[in-house]
Amino acid sequence: MTQFVRPWRGEPETVGTVAVVGMGKIGLPLAAQYAGHGWHVIGVDIQPWVVERLNQGRVHFAEEPTLAERIAEAHAAGRFRATTSHAEATGEADVVVIIVPVMLSDAREPDYRFIDPASEAVAAGLHPGVLVLYETTLPVGDTRDRFGPLLERASGLTVGDPDAGFLLAFSPERVYSGRVFHDLETYPKLVGGVDAVSGARAAAFYRSVLPAEVWQLSTAEAAEFAKLAETTYRDVNIALANQFAAYAERMGVDIHEVIRGSNSQPFSHIHQPGIGVGGHCIPVYPHFLISRAPELTLPALARQVNDGQVGLAVQAVERELGPLEGVPVLVLGLTYREDVRELAYTRAIPLIERLAFHGAEVWAYDPLLADEEVVRTGAHPWHWGERGPFRAIVVQTGSQQFRALDPAWFPDLALLYDGRNTLRNLALPEGVTYVGVGVPDPRAVRRVRRTAGAGSAGRR
Ligand SMILES: NC(=O)c1ccc[n+]([C@@H]2O[C@H](COP(=O)([O-])OP(=O)(O)OC[C@H]3O[C@@H](n4cnc5c(N)ncnc54)[C@H](O)[C@@H]3O)[C@@H](O)[C@H]2O)c1
């Protein structure tokens, strides 16, 4: 049985008051998780309407399963409230968790336009003994070298002094939007302090709110780097899969068969090729490394390869249809990932721009988006089941719904470009060509096999 204490100083079986700064897709579930373990939680956000809604016990986005119930319960139990005042929340808190995004600037540098003011505002309420935790993904060294001095300067307190100053640590948030509570319970929680006492206090906090293992790394830098390393690994891996896919196409080999085969060896974990990598994390965090570490040449190359996939898709459409001037094309799926209503860094935008640049009339559909949101991506909205004049369809997001597509809706269709390997089994009428990333063109396969003296074995 845990005991609520004030002040909280990291003793086992005790809980205190935590301020969570940033009530977004990740911050709000974190608040619910902490309240569910007995902590008194104060959510902080700069958006008054968000704060107002949270103070009614209601959430402002619907996508995270069980979040609404958890927040309603915590609010009813008096363990959750929200405010726009960082200083007020921090003044009451034993622990402050900052989960406000660091963005990417146009020059592909970390952009601190949200997190710097958030940190300054937190510093205004800092008091002796408080633990400040950064969970936002940061470039290596930022917790210690950027935010430590910022907080010291703005608060007048010294970092690392558990009595007269404040403690400071970093813990990457590695959850997946849409299954945050599951991930919080299962992934080891990495944490690293700017000193041993900060690291130990941070580990004690996470042990009190998470059933998962807590791994205390030796420094904040190790914890920062671990998050950047895991996301960059995935980007580089996908780039390799994309290059393998291009080679597979040239050789008339099916890359999916190759990857399945390779990955049957336990040390091989080749990811899937596709039309590109979107979202808050994978296309962004490699730049946090690249911008600080010119010796990391592979991540930079991987970014180029993955961003180049859209261009390859448009080239493939042109190869099949000829010049795209005035050609109606339908893009299926606009969100960066299936089942997540999020357009951050989606490759749909450059895809639509590129098709339009070549003169195509671009239409689009996404089961998660309303017409006006589709229009904002630069495409005309198409509606599921409508007949359309499209000559090509490009699948950008691998939504399950697309498997129920009926090609009879599109009497002029000549090409299905499958950027996510989701529609391979769709029965297409004679005269409609299927092109998939790393999937051999059956016409080319027949040529290769004839040359090799084997019988023809087209895919369809
Ligand atoms: N979204 C994900 O899938 C994901 C996964 C793992 C980790 N993360 C990490 O979590 C961070 C936050 O992501 P998110 O998806 O919750 O972002 P989000 O955009 O959904 O939410 C950010 C919130 O911060 C608020 N905010 C902005 N400036 C503020 C300030 N000065 N003070 C207080 N609040 C402020 C915004 O109003 C918004 O509500 C990311 O930058 C990333 O480092 C995100």
Side-chain angles (χ1 to χ4, degrees):
M1 186 63 193
T2 52
Q3 192 194 350
F4 178 77
V5 293
R6 183 186 295 256
W8 178 82
R9 291 294 180 257
E11 295 300 322
E13 307 301 321
T14 62
V15 294
T17 302
V18 55
V20 180
V21 181
M23 291 282 90
K25 296 241 166 60
I26 305 300
L28 188 56
L30 290 182
Q33 175 75 20
Y34 305 159
H37 282 73
W39 279 75
H40 286 209
V41 183
I42 310 170
V44 185
D45 206 285
I46 48 170
Q47 300 188 74
W49 73 273
V50 169
V51 166
E52 195 180 318
R53 190 172 296 198
L54 294 176
N55 279 331
Q56 296 162 352
R58 298 191 300 139
V59 299
H60 57 293
F61 55 91
E63 290 87 86
E64 197 60 51
T66 74
L67 177 63
E69 298 88 296
R70 289 172 195 248
I71 286 294
E73 196 182 315
H75 179 260
R79 282 199 308 277
F80 176 69
R81 67 183 175 84
T83 176
T84 52
S85 169
H86 303 66
E88 178 209 321
T90 308
E92 274 190 51
D94 305 293
V95 179
V96 179
V97 173
I98 299 179
I99 182 82
V100 168
V102 171
M103 322 288 284
L104 204 57
S105 72
D106 291 344
R108 308 215 160 147
E109 295 280 337
D111 174 345
Y112 301 93
R113 82 177 72 165
F114 296 117
I115 201 165
D116 277 355
S119 302
E120 298 271 356
V122 160
L126 277 192
H127 52 88
V130 71
L131 165 68
V132 180
L133 278 166
Y134 281 86
E135 287 221 8
T136 301
T137 307
L138 296 177
V140 180
D142 269 10
T143 305
R144 185 189 308 276
D145 298 332
R146 183 183 190 90
F147 294 112
L150 183 157
L151 293 170
E152 282 188 325
R153 197 174 54 247
S155 70
L157 299 176
T158 306
V159 68
D161 181 340
D163 300 315
F166 66 95
L167 303 178
L168 180 60
F170 178 80
S171 176
E173 198 42 81
R174 306 190 295 158
V175 294
Y176 217 55
S177 196
R179 53 163 219 229
V180 170
F181 295 108
H182 169 269
D183 293 349
L184 283 174
E185 296 198 352
T186 44
Y187 293 171
K189 186 65 174 151
L190 307 183
V191 57
V194 298
D195 50 51
V197 63
S198 294
R201 180 74 62 84
F205 170 68
Y206 287 118
R207 284 197 188 98
S208 77
V209 292
L210 298 173
E213 281 179 51
V214 176
W215 292 15
Q216 189 182 339
L217 308 190
S218 60
T219 59
E221 287 76 10
E224 290 164 336
F225 197 177
K227 168 81 183 188
L228 298 183
E230 96 195 13
T231 45
T232 303
Y233 157 76
R234 286 163 65 193
D235 201 43
V236 172
N237 190 325
I238 293 165
L240 184 64
N242 282 333
Q243 287 203 331
F244 282 167
Y247 178 55
E249 283 170 26
R250 183 157 75 75
M251 294 308 291
V253 172
D254 182 340
I255 193 61
H256 299 286
E257 193 184 1
V258 171
I259 292 175
R260 244 189 337 272
S262 297
N263 287 355
S264 66
Q265 207 283 351
F267 294 126
S268 179
H269 304 282
I270 304 169
H271 290 7
Q272 296 301 311
I275 199 165
V277 182
H280 285 294
C281 299
I282 311 296
V284 171
Y285 299 145
H287 290 293
F288 286 16
L289 284 174
I290 296 163
S291 66
R292 302 282 167 90
E295 64 271 42
L296 293 180
T297 51
L298 263 183
L301 186 58
R303 283 282 69 240
Q304 270 178 31
V305 169
N306 291 337
D307 278 355
Q309 292 297 104
V310 158
L312 294 182
V314 175
Q315 275 173 22
V317 176
E318 266 192 321
R319 210 167 32 244
E320 290 297 325
L321 302 185
L324 294 181
E325 193 59 48
V327 172
V329 175
L330 174 65
V331 172
L332 283 181
L334 297 172
T335 59
Y336 82 85
R337 170 157 69 85
E338 68 279 11
D339 304 329
V340 175
R341 219 183 99 76
E342 179 61 71
L343 288 164
Y345 298 98
T346 175
R347 298 307 290 159
I349 307 284
L351 173 66
I352 291 168
E353 281 172 0
R354 188 74 79 102
L355 286 166
F357 178 78
H358 286 260
E361 295 276 334
V362 189
W363 300 69
Y365 169 76
D366 191 298
L368 299 177
L369 300 182
D371 280 3
E372 54 277 17
E373 293 168 298
V374 173
V375 169
R376 280 201 291 275
T377 66
H380 308 290
W382 173 78
H383 305 108
W384 187 255
E386 257 175 23
R387 284 171 76 85
F390 313 119
R391 304 260 352 269
I393 293 176
V394 180
V395 179
Q396 198 288 138
T397 316
S399 168
Q400 288 295 325
Q401 186 194 28
F402 303 156
R403 293 174 204 259
L405 197 80
D406 185 351
W409 299 336
F410 316 113
D412 299 327
L413 192 66
L415 170 69
L416 173 62
Y417 184 90
D418 188 359
R420 299 290 176 198
N421 193 39
T422 44
L423 294 189
R424 276 186 85 160
N425 297 323
L426 192 72
L428 292 173
E430 196 65 31
V432 180
T433 302
Y434 174 96
V435 175
V437 181
V439 177
D441 180 337
R443 297 160 298 187
V445 171
R446 277 194 287 274
R447 273 199 303 277
V448 168
R449 297 219 168 122
R450 256 205 303 275
T451 315
S456 79
R459 225 177 16 80
R460 287 200 312 261

